[in-house]
Amino acid sequence: ELLRARGLIDTVIVSSFDSRFLERLCRLADAPALAWISRRGIAPPPASLVRELDLYSWHPDHRGLEAPAVATAHGLGLRVFPWTVNRQSEIRRLLEMAVDGIISDDPALLTG
């Protein structure tokens, strides 16, 4: 309701570790874009979950993320936004894997 009231439905991504929460949101007539968050060592969400929740993106922990997982997610139609990346060396490593964006506590790192 807050997103709707502020006209933000089309400009935000709601991400969660909790698939039940995402399932409730995807049932809304005007649901925002939804994302699955995963901890280190977790693969992209299964194709069935991507379809069921109409996921927009996958937000993996950047530590240990490798190119095959990014490619798998892209093959599922997901954008990949690793979190929380706060070193330029890691940003470069992830961009070489063709991630779609970076989640960081320090956006200034992304300009370098």
Side-chain angles (χ1 to χ4, degrees):
E1 290 175 10
L2 177 64
L3 294 175
R4 202 175 303 116
R6 297 195 179 192
L8 298 174
I9 290 289
D10 295 327
T11 61
V12 301
I13 301 171
V14 176
S15 57
S16 179
F17 292 103
D18 185 348
S19 61
R20 291 171 298 185
F21 173 69
L22 294 172
E23 184 180 341
R24 287 195 314 260
L25 286 178
C26 81
R27 291 181 183 158
L28 297 174
D30 58 348
L34 302 177
W36 174 263
I37 304 173
S38 61
R39 290 172 171 69
R40 182 165 52 182
I42 305 278
S48 59
L49 190 64
V50 172
R51 285 189 305 273
E52 178 185 339
L53 300 178
D54 191 23
L55 293 175
Y56 174 82
S57 58
W58 173 43
H59 301 174
D61 183 329
H62 76 94
R63 297 170 292 176
L65 182 63
E66 296 189 8
V70 175
T72 297
H74 285 157
L76 293 169
L78 295 171
R79 289 150 190 91
V80 180
F81 302 108
W83 60 274
T84 299
V85 187
N86 291 320
R87 291 193 336 252
Q88 282 190 338
S89 61
E90 278 298 300
I91 291 170
R92 282 190 292 277
R93 181 182 78 82
L94 294 164
L95 291 175
E96 288 174 4
M97 289 183 217
V99 300
D100 300 284
I102 301 287
I103 298 170
S104 179
D105 293 327
D106 187 358
L109 289 173
L110 302 174
T111 63

